[in-house]
């Protein structure tokens, strides 16, 4: 049996660290709890990087080890499941199931994409539509599954223009991944970031504040990425000539009508979704927590009289594995902060580093982290606690640093296995799609562009919106 080279390197590093931590004379300023936390953290990271074991299983094992050794209490471990962010995600998936059941997504696609008359219009209208889905469907994999029938309809209509089909196949997952930063529920990594930030610093980022900070970045990065996809996968001749996508072509891939009068179920669901989003955005006015708003919406969406989906069917769409992963990694974050392990890890960093250099390093490392840790949530679980601790020591606002790290970690386009949406659109039977070479070509352009854009927002835009670079 041959050992995976990446696993071998990670395992050697983790075991070496554990051996050093086991000697009391080493690192005299480190407490016993901090030593145990670092050992568990190193082994969990090694397992995430180099083994095929499920990420949730690893996180639960790490949380259990920290509890059994007394680093954290059982109340801390189990209490993370009751965190408001977990409930927010559960209820958001119930709402998403109600939307998917009515077929509203098909109507929206026919309305937006049907107005395209040129290739560039088609690309940017598709991008705008995908950005909007971040408000209706949590998690990037769910949005990718919802968007797949729309892509198939477009691919059928453009079957005689193969390069355009390949371009659209690459556009869909690219925009889905980069636009997730628009909302707090866009990715599980966002909820992990918010929870770790709250536990470590007491700073709470609500739905409205995340929307204010993330939506402009999502719109800018998505449309910038759309241009990058267009220029790296097509030629000038491909971009010439009109395009015409009819509602009938989209209808062939939709089980629900995309034109004609709206049904009562569609009207109720659209009104409910709009009400929930408005209440989320107006939280500073009414002070009702987003999780409570989401719970009200989920109850109405699954009610016998007004709902469009049965509760038990909606709950089947909830990614319970992701929720358990989030809860366990939140507990790991608490252990890193409370034991002093995170502070010790970053204590050796230069004290005179400038905020600009600090943020640049954070963004570059977070952008490249997907090459080592394929799970977006795992990346945030590993990076965010360290980034927050280092930011405090460097005099950088931990909120700005955590947001920059999480936003930069949204780039994961280099390999087909780097993210689930990329994997989904990389292999579609009967439809031409992109190759690993196409991904590498796009990544060479898009990685520095998105990193520079995140830095621009962290340094120039977010301070205008109430999140300065330094405290």
């Amino acid at each position: 049996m041959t050992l995976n080279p990446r696993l071998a390197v990670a395992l050697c590093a983790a075991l070496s660290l554990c051996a050093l931590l086991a000697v009391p004379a080493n690192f005299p300023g480190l407490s016993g709890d901090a030593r145990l936390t670092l050992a568990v953290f190193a082994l969990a990271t090694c397992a995430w990087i180099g083994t095929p074991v499920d990420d949730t299983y690893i996180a639960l094992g790490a949380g259990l080890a920290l509890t059994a050794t007394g680093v954290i209490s059982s109340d801390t471990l189990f209490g993370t499941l009751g965190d408001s962010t977990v409930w927010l995600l559960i209820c958001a998936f119930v709402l998403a199931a109600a939307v998917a059941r009515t077929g509203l997504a098909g109507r929206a696609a026919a309305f937006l994409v049907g107005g395209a008359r040129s290739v560039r219009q088609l690309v940017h209208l598709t991008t705008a539509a995908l950005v909007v889905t971040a408000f209706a469907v949590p998690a990037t994999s769910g949005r990718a599954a919802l968007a797949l029938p729309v892509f198939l309809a477009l691919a059928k209509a453009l079957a005689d223009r193969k390069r355009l089909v390949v371009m659209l196949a690459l556009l869909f997952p690219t925009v889905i991944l980069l636009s997730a930063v628009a909302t707090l529920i866009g990715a599980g990594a966002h909820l992990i970031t918010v929870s770790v930030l709250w536990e470590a610093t007491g700073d709470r980022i609500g739905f409205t504040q995340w929307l204010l900070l993330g939506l402009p970045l999502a719109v800018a990065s998505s449309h910038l990425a759309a241009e990058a996809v267009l220029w790296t996968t097509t030629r000038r001749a491909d971009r010439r000539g009109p395009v015409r996508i009819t509602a009938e072509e989209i209808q062939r891939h939709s089980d629900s009508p995309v034109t004609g009068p709206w049904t009562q179920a569609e009207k109720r669901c659209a009104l409910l979704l709009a009400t929930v989003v408005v209440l989320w955005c107006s939280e500073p006015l009414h002070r009702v927590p987003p999780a409570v708003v989401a719970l009200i919406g989920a109850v109405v969406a699954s009610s016998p009289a007004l709902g469009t989906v049965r509760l038990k069917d909606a709950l089947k769409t909830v990614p319970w594995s992701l929720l358990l992963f989030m809860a366990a990694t939140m507990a790991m974050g608490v252990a890193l902060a409370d034991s002093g392990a995170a502070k010790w890890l970053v204590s050796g960093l230069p004290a005179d580093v400038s905020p600009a250099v600090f943020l640049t390093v954070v963004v570059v490392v977070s952008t490249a982290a997907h090459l080592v840790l394929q799970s977006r949530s795992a990346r945030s679980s590993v990076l965010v606690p360290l980034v927050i601790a280092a930011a405090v020591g460097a005099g950088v606002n931990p909120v700005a640093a955590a947001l920059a790290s999480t936003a930069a970690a949204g780039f994961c386009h280099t390999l087909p296995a780097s993210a689930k949406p990329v994997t989904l659109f990389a292999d579609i039977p009967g439809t031409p799609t992109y190759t690993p070479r196409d991904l590498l070509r796009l990544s060479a352009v898009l990685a520095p562009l998105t990193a520079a854009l995140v830095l621009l927002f962290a340094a120039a835009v977010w301070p205008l919106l109430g999140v300065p670079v330094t405290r």
Side-chain angles (χ1 to χ4, degrees):
M1 178 180 177
T2 58
L3 195 62
N4 185 325
R6 187 168 65 170
L7 173 60
V9 172
L11 187 60
C12 287
L15 292 178
S16 299
L17 177 60
C18 291
L20 290 172
L21 291 170
V23 180
N26 293 331
F27 320 120
L30 207 56
S31 68
D33 284 351
R35 292 172 186 270
L36 287 170
T37 300
L38 287 175
V40 171
F41 192 76
L43 291 172
T45 303
C46 167
W48 280 329
I49 292 174
T51 70
V53 180
D54 185 79
D55 290 341
T56 302
Y57 187 86
I58 295 168
L60 287 174
L64 182 60
L66 291 170
T67 304
T69 53
V71 177
I72 58 175
S73 66
S74 59
D75 289 342
T76 299
L77 177 64
F78 297 129
T80 53
L81 276 173
D83 191 272
S84 61
T85 55
V86 173
W87 278 93
L88 174 62
L89 195 60
I90 292 173
C91 297
F93 269 98
V94 174
L95 287 168
V99 172
R101 181 66 61 91
T102 60
L104 283 174
R107 284 189 182 273
F111 174 75
L112 286 171
V113 178
R117 296 296 178 267
S118 67
V119 173
R120 180 162 273 104
Q121 279 186 347
L122 175 64
V123 166
H124 285 284
L125 285 173
T126 301
T127 298
L130 290 172
V131 171
V132 171
T133 62
F135 295 91
V137 182
T140 53
S141 55
R143 293 168 62 204
L146 185 70
L148 184 60
V150 178
F151 164 72
L152 292 174
L154 296 178
K156 188 71 173 179
L158 299 170
D160 58 335
R161 303 169 73 175
K162 182 179 177 181
R163 284 186 182 274
L164 292 187
V165 176
V166 173
M167 180 271 296
L168 288 173
L170 193 51
L171 177 71
F172 272 72
T174 297
V175 174
I176 286 170
L177 290 168
L178 292 179
S179 62
V181 75
T183 72
L184 182 59
I185 62 172
H190 302 169
L191 304 177
I192 292 173
T193 297
V194 169
S195 297
V196 172
L197 194 61
W198 167 253
E199 294 288 348
T201 67
D203 293 315
R204 171 74 78 177
I205 301 179
F207 186 93
T208 306
Q209 187 181 11
W210 189 290
L211 182 69
L212 182 66
L213 300 170
L215 182 57
L217 175 59
V219 171
S221 61
S222 296
H223 285 280
L224 180 67
E227 283 293 325
V229 171
L230 187 61
W231 283 97
T232 57
T233 57
T234 63
R235 300 169 182 168
R236 182 174 297 178
D238 301 319
R239 297 189 289 272
R240 291 175 180 168
V243 296
R244 177 66 175 169
I245 309 297
T246 65
E248 289 74 19
E249 287 166 326
I250 296 178
Q251 181 66 75
R252 295 193 193 104
H253 295 270
S254 176
D255 296 329
S256 304
V258 299
T259 57
W262 285 36
T263 65
Q264 289 299 318
E266 288 174 328
K267 292 178 181 178
R268 291 197 306 271
C269 190
L271 178 60
L272 175 62
L273 181 62
T275 302
V276 169
V277 172
V278 169
L279 289 174
W280 276 339
C281 297
S282 58
E283 179 192 354
L285 298 177
H286 53 70
R287 301 294 181 183
V288 179
V292 175
V293 172
L295 182 57
I296 295 171
V299 170
V300 174
S302 58
S303 64
L306 300 175
T308 59
V309 65
R310 293 190 301 174
L311 182 59
K312 68 176 184 179
D313 293 332
L315 290 176
K316 292 177 182 178
T317 68
V318 177
W320 298 106
S321 178
L322 172 62
L323 296 177
L324 289 173
F325 178 87
M326 286 173 50
T329 52
M330 286 177 197
M332 292 173 64
V334 171
L336 279 171
D338 291 352
S339 68
K343 185 177 180 180
W344 178 84
L345 277 176
V346 300
S347 61
L349 296 178
D352 57 347
V353 63
S354 69
V357 172
F358 179 84
L359 282 177
T360 300
V361 172
V362 166
V363 169
V364 170
V365 171
S366 300
T367 301
H370 71 282
L371 298 174
V372 179
L373 282 169
Q374 294 179 347
S375 167
R376 190 172 186 167
S377 297
R379 291 198 294 276
S380 288
S381 303
V382 172
L383 291 174
V384 171
L386 304 181
V387 166
I388 292 173
V392 173
V396 175
N397 183 358
V399 176
L403 283 172
S405 175
T406 305
F411 175 83
C412 39
H413 303 67
T414 306
L415 302 170
S418 293
K420 291 178 183 177
V422 180
T423 304
L424 178 63
F425 280 86
D427 185 16
I428 303 175
T431 303
T433 185
Y434 47 85
T435 64
R437 180 176 294 181
D438 294 323
L439 283 174
L440 290 174
R441 188 187 304 117
L442 174 64
S443 295
V445 175
L446 195 55
L449 283 178
T450 53
L453 190 63
V454 171
L455 280 173
L456 175 64
F457 268 76
V461 179
W462 289 343
L464 300 176
L465 300 175
V467 181
V469 174
T470 58
R471 287 204 164 185

